[in-house]
Amino acid sequence: MVPALRYIRGACGPALGGFPGGFSSAGRPAPGRSWPLCQGGRPASTRSFDVVVIGGGIVGLASARALILRHPALSIGVLEKEKDLAIHQTGHNSGVIHSGIYYKPESLKAKLCVQGAALIYEYCKQKGISYKQCGKGLMAIDCPYTGIVDYRQVALSFAEDFQEAGGFVLTNFEVKDIELAKESPSRSKDGMKYPIVIRNTKGEEVQCQYVVTCAGLYSDRISELSGCDPDPQIVPFRGDYLILKPEKCYLVKGNIYPVPDSRFPFLGVHFTPRMDGSIWLGPNAVLAFKREGYRPFDFSARDIMDVIIKSGLIKLVFQNFSYGVNEMYKACFLSATVKHLQKFIPEITVSDILRGPAGVRAQALDRDGNLIEDFVFDGGVGDIGNRILHVRNAPSPAATSSLAISGMIADEVQQRFKL
């Protein structure tokens, strides 16, 4: 039995079209390639879809794949604002296949993680995608089911499956407007209407019957564009990683995690082996001053104003002031982070580590300053809202859970839109 979705108030559903072929040997562009738009920003051929998925990260691609495999007769398109797929949260995470032991029993997060991990392992075996089931724990809770994988490689494989099944990917398509067609909507041969117009920042547009949004760091803004509830707001938290020098990598044989603080969705500073043989240490969790702010001084005035005015961040800060100060301190001083790491491997010193990459987590926050820890899916009301399903909050372990989430989304789309 699939658990019920949380916060669902609206929906999404079908109709059809497609863009011209002539790109790869399969007649479709390689994953991450755009379909051409021309003639004043309009597609060279039909520009109508039964279902459009906004967001080319791992959850969006998994969802598009699940929908087209279940409904091969439908035309389904994925819109991604970047030139490449899966480069933000998917491409900046630790690569851990989580076991689900940290999450609240019977929560949607826990159920989807356990189910999703099994599906990811099986999918990687079928596709020949490298992974390691290296486990977690030594002289503590041993969890051999934990593994590692390159999630961007998995996401691009999802995109390839989707395109081979007849789906279309449009990159460099940053959504600016979602509205009802003002003119007579385009029709297919059987007269079916495509009432929703999705327009990008360059004035190009597609039309569709239904929309599924998987917009990650911009999920609240996309919801607001469609006339749906902007809450919960997304607050970006940056996580900085350190890298263990190669000559010290022998110290870490598997994932090593502390017991997480139940007050927060962050897992604490930990040791993560990577598929390339490197070892990542961290991350911390500090407020990012830009939604895609991977560097400490990346800044967006709009993003900061949204966080201060629209979200419950100020309340969160006051409620957890000491925690926030400690995270900022660790971000500035390597020695502070090393002290935490030495609790697990005393041999590690400051000279053994280097500063590494960072990721930004899209964390949903309510107006009272409460971090929303579980997955949130909803829609809206009205002519547009009733045709949309928003994936509003897909926190870690969303990558692990992606195939399980996609099955749930496909179920909901099928039920709500009578596909």
Short mmCIF file of all heavy atoms in Angstrom, two decimals, residues 282-311:
data_model
loop_
_atom_site.label_atom_id
_atom_site.label_comp_id
_atom_site.label_asym_id
_atom_site.label_seq_id
_atom_site.Cartn_x
_atom_site.Cartn_y
_atom_site.Cartn_z
N GLY A 282 32.26 15.82 6.40
CA GLY A 282 31.28 16.89 6.59
C GLY A 282 29.90 16.37 6.26
O GLY A 282 29.67 15.16 6.29
N PRO A 283 28.96 17.26 5.91
CA PRO A 283 29.14 18.71 5.79
C PRO A 283 28.68 19.43 7.06
O PRO A 283 28.08 18.83 7.95
CB PRO A 283 28.19 19.03 4.64
CG PRO A 283 27.04 18.09 4.88
CD PRO A 283 27.66 16.81 5.40
N ASN A 284 28.94 20.74 7.07
CA ASN A 284 28.28 21.58 8.06
C ASN A 284 26.92 21.98 7.50
O ASN A 284 26.49 21.46 6.47
CB ASN A 284 29.15 22.80 8.38
CG ASN A 284 29.50 23.59 7.12
OD1 ASN A 284 28.94 23.35 6.05
ND2 ASN A 284 30.42 24.53 7.23
N ALA A 285 26.24 22.90 8.14
CA ALA A 285 24.94 23.37 7.65
C ALA A 285 24.79 24.83 8.00
O ALA A 285 24.51 25.18 9.15
CB ALA A 285 23.80 22.55 8.26
N VAL A 286 25.03 25.71 7.02
CA VAL A 286 24.93 27.15 7.26
C VAL A 286 23.99 27.77 6.23
O VAL A 286 23.81 27.23 5.13
CB VAL A 286 26.31 27.83 7.17
CG1 VAL A 286 27.23 27.32 8.26
CG2 VAL A 286 26.95 27.62 5.80
N LEU A 287 23.39 28.89 6.58
CA LEU A 287 22.50 29.58 5.67
C LEU A 287 23.28 30.03 4.43
O LEU A 287 24.34 30.63 4.54
CB LEU A 287 21.87 30.79 6.36
CG LEU A 287 20.94 31.65 5.49
CD1 LEU A 287 19.67 30.87 5.13
CD2 LEU A 287 20.58 32.95 6.21
N ALA A 288 22.75 29.71 3.26
CA ALA A 288 23.34 30.20 2.02
C ALA A 288 22.68 31.52 1.66
O ALA A 288 21.47 31.68 1.82
CB ALA A 288 23.14 29.18 0.90
N PHE A 289 23.46 32.46 1.17
CA PHE A 289 22.93 33.78 0.83
C PHE A 289 22.47 33.87 -0.62
O PHE A 289 22.20 34.95 -1.13
CB PHE A 289 23.98 34.85 1.13
CG PHE A 289 24.37 34.90 2.58
CD1 PHE A 289 25.65 34.54 2.98
CD2 PHE A 289 23.45 35.27 3.55
CE1 PHE A 289 25.99 34.56 4.32
CE2 PHE A 289 23.79 35.29 4.89
CZ PHE A 289 25.06 34.94 5.28
N LYS A 290 22.37 32.70 -1.25
CA LYS A 290 21.86 32.60 -2.61
C LYS A 290 21.35 31.18 -2.79
O LYS A 290 21.93 30.24 -2.24
CB LYS A 290 22.97 32.91 -3.63
CG LYS A 290 22.54 32.93 -5.08
CD LYS A 290 23.72 33.27 -5.98
CE LYS A 290 23.30 33.30 -7.44
NZ LYS A 290 24.44 33.61 -8.33
N ARG A 291 20.29 31.00 -3.53
CA ARG A 291 19.71 29.66 -3.67
C ARG A 291 20.66 28.67 -4.33
O ARG A 291 20.58 27.48 -4.07
CB ARG A 291 18.38 29.72 -4.44
CG ARG A 291 17.33 30.49 -3.66
CD ARG A 291 15.93 30.12 -4.05
NE ARG A 291 14.96 30.89 -3.26
CZ ARG A 291 13.71 30.56 -3.07
NH1 ARG A 291 13.24 29.45 -3.62
NH2 ARG A 291 12.91 31.31 -2.36
N GLU A 292 21.51 29.15 -5.18
CA GLU A 292 22.53 28.30 -5.77
C GLU A 292 23.91 28.81 -5.36
O GLU A 292 24.84 28.84 -6.15
CB GLU A 292 22.36 28.26 -7.29
CG GLU A 292 21.05 27.59 -7.70
CD GLU A 292 20.67 27.83 -9.15
OE1 GLU A 292 21.42 28.55 -9.84
OE2 GLU A 292 19.61 27.32 -9.58
N GLY A 293 24.01 29.19 -4.09
CA GLY A 293 25.24 29.77 -3.58
C GLY A 293 26.20 28.72 -3.05
O GLY A 293 26.20 28.41 -1.85
N TYR A 294 27.03 28.19 -3.92
CA TYR A 294 27.95 27.12 -3.53
C TYR A 294 29.24 27.66 -2.90
O TYR A 294 30.00 26.89 -2.34
CB TYR A 294 28.29 26.25 -4.75
CG TYR A 294 27.06 25.61 -5.35
CD1 TYR A 294 26.56 26.03 -6.58
CD2 TYR A 294 26.37 24.62 -4.67
CE1 TYR A 294 25.42 25.45 -7.12
CE2 TYR A 294 25.24 24.04 -5.21
CZ TYR A 294 24.77 24.46 -6.44
OH TYR A 294 23.64 23.91 -6.97
N ARG A 295 29.45 28.97 -3.01
CA ARG A 295 30.62 29.58 -2.38
C ARG A 295 30.16 30.49 -1.25
O ARG A 295 29.07 31.06 -1.31
CB ARG A 295 31.41 30.37 -3.42
CG ARG A 295 32.00 29.51 -4.54
CD ARG A 295 32.57 30.35 -5.67
NE ARG A 295 31.52 31.15 -6.31
CZ ARG A 295 31.72 31.92 -7.38
NH1 ARG A 295 32.93 31.98 -7.92
NH2 ARG A 295 30.72 32.62 -7.90
N PRO A 296 30.99 30.68 -0.22
CA PRO A 296 30.59 31.44 0.96
C PRO A 296 30.11 32.85 0.67
O PRO A 296 29.23 33.37 1.38
CB PRO A 296 31.87 31.45 1.83
CG PRO A 296 32.61 30.23 1.41
CD PRO A 296 32.34 30.07 -0.04
N PHE A 297 30.65 33.48 -0.36
CA PHE A 297 30.30 34.88 -0.62
C PHE A 297 29.34 35.05 -1.79
O PHE A 297 29.11 36.17 -2.25
CB PHE A 297 31.58 35.71 -0.84
CG PHE A 297 32.49 35.72 0.36
CD1 PHE A 297 33.65 34.96 0.36
CD2 PHE A 297 32.16 36.43 1.50
CE1 PHE A 297 34.48 34.94 1.46
CE2 PHE A 297 32.99 36.42 2.62
CZ PHE A 297 34.14 35.67 2.60
N ASP A 298 28.78 33.96 -2.28
CA ASP A 298 27.71 34.08 -3.29
C ASP A 298 26.51 34.75 -2.64
O ASP A 298 26.10 34.39 -1.53
CB ASP A 298 27.31 32.69 -3.81
CG ASP A 298 28.35 32.11 -4.76
OD1 ASP A 298 29.20 32.87 -5.24
OD2 ASP A 298 28.29 30.90 -5.02
N PHE A 299 25.93 35.73 -3.34
CA PHE A 299 24.88 36.54 -2.72
C PHE A 299 23.81 36.92 -3.73
O PHE A 299 24.11 37.26 -4.87
CB PHE A 299 25.50 37.82 -2.12
CG PHE A 299 24.50 38.74 -1.46
CD1 PHE A 299 24.11 38.52 -0.15
CD2 PHE A 299 23.96 39.81 -2.15
CE1 PHE A 299 23.18 39.37 0.47
CE2 PHE A 299 23.03 40.66 -1.55
CZ PHE A 299 22.65 40.43 -0.24
N SER A 300 22.55 36.86 -3.31
CA SER A 300 21.41 37.33 -4.10
C SER A 300 20.49 38.11 -3.18
O SER A 300 19.97 37.56 -2.20
CB SER A 300 20.66 36.15 -4.73
OG SER A 300 19.39 36.57 -5.21
N ALA A 301 20.31 39.39 -3.48
CA ALA A 301 19.46 40.23 -2.64
C ALA A 301 18.03 39.69 -2.61
O ALA A 301 17.38 39.67 -1.55
CB ALA A 301 19.47 41.67 -3.15
N ARG A 302 17.53 39.24 -3.75
CA ARG A 302 16.16 38.71 -3.79
C ARG A 302 16.02 37.48 -2.92
O ARG A 302 15.05 37.33 -2.17
CB ARG A 302 15.75 38.39 -5.22
CG ARG A 302 14.33 37.84 -5.30
CD ARG A 302 13.96 37.35 -6.68
NE ARG A 302 12.61 36.80 -6.66
CZ ARG A 302 12.04 36.18 -7.69
NH1 ARG A 302 12.70 36.04 -8.83
NH2 ARG A 302 10.81 35.68 -7.58
N ASP A 303 16.98 36.58 -3.02
CA ASP A 303 16.91 35.34 -2.25
C ASP A 303 16.94 35.64 -0.75
O ASP A 303 16.19 35.04 0.03
CB ASP A 303 18.06 34.42 -2.62
CG ASP A 303 17.92 33.84 -4.02
OD1 ASP A 303 16.85 34.01 -4.63
OD2 ASP A 303 18.90 33.23 -4.51
N ILE A 304 17.79 36.56 -0.34
CA ILE A 304 17.89 36.89 1.08
C ILE A 304 16.62 37.57 1.57
O ILE A 304 16.11 37.27 2.66
CB ILE A 304 19.13 37.78 1.34
CG1 ILE A 304 20.39 36.95 1.18
CG2 ILE A 304 19.08 38.40 2.73
CD1 ILE A 304 20.49 35.77 2.12
N MET A 305 16.07 38.48 0.78
CA MET A 305 14.84 39.17 1.19
C MET A 305 13.68 38.18 1.31
O MET A 305 12.86 38.28 2.23
CB MET A 305 14.50 40.28 0.20
CG MET A 305 15.47 41.45 0.22
SD MET A 305 15.65 42.19 1.86
CE MET A 305 13.99 42.84 2.13
N ASP A 306 13.60 37.24 0.39
CA ASP A 306 12.55 36.22 0.48
C ASP A 306 12.68 35.42 1.77
O ASP A 306 11.68 35.13 2.45
CB ASP A 306 12.63 35.27 -0.71
CG ASP A 306 11.99 35.84 -1.96
OD1 ASP A 306 11.38 36.93 -1.89
OD2 ASP A 306 12.10 35.21 -3.04
N VAL A 307 13.91 35.04 2.11
CA VAL A 307 14.14 34.25 3.31
C VAL A 307 13.74 35.03 4.56
O VAL A 307 13.11 34.50 5.48
CB VAL A 307 15.62 33.81 3.39
CG1 VAL A 307 15.96 33.30 4.78
CG2 VAL A 307 15.90 32.72 2.36
N ILE A 308 14.09 36.31 4.61
CA ILE A 308 13.83 37.12 5.80
C ILE A 308 12.36 37.47 5.93
O ILE A 308 11.78 37.39 7.02
CB ILE A 308 14.69 38.41 5.75
CG1 ILE A 308 16.18 38.06 5.87
CG2 ILE A 308 14.29 39.37 6.87
CD1 ILE A 308 17.10 39.24 5.68
N ILE A 309 11.75 37.86 4.81
CA ILE A 309 10.37 38.39 4.87
C ILE A 309 9.32 37.29 4.80
O ILE A 309 8.33 37.31 5.53
CB ILE A 309 10.16 39.39 3.71
CG1 ILE A 309 11.06 40.61 3.89
CG2 ILE A 309 8.69 39.82 3.64
CD1 ILE A 309 11.04 41.57 2.71
N LYS A 310 9.52 36.30 3.93
CA LYS A 310 8.46 35.33 3.65
C LYS A 310 8.52 34.07 4.49
O LYS A 310 7.52 33.38 4.66
CB LYS A 310 8.49 34.94 2.17
CG LYS A 310 8.18 36.09 1.22
CD LYS A 310 8.18 35.60 -0.23
CE LYS A 310 7.85 36.70 -1.22
NZ LYS A 310 7.84 36.21 -2.61
N SER A 311 9.70 33.73 4.99
CA SER A 311 9.82 32.46 5.73
C SER A 311 9.88 32.72 7.22
O SER A 311 9.91 33.86 7.68
CB SER A 311 11.07 31.71 5.28
OG SER A 311 12.24 32.31 5.84
#
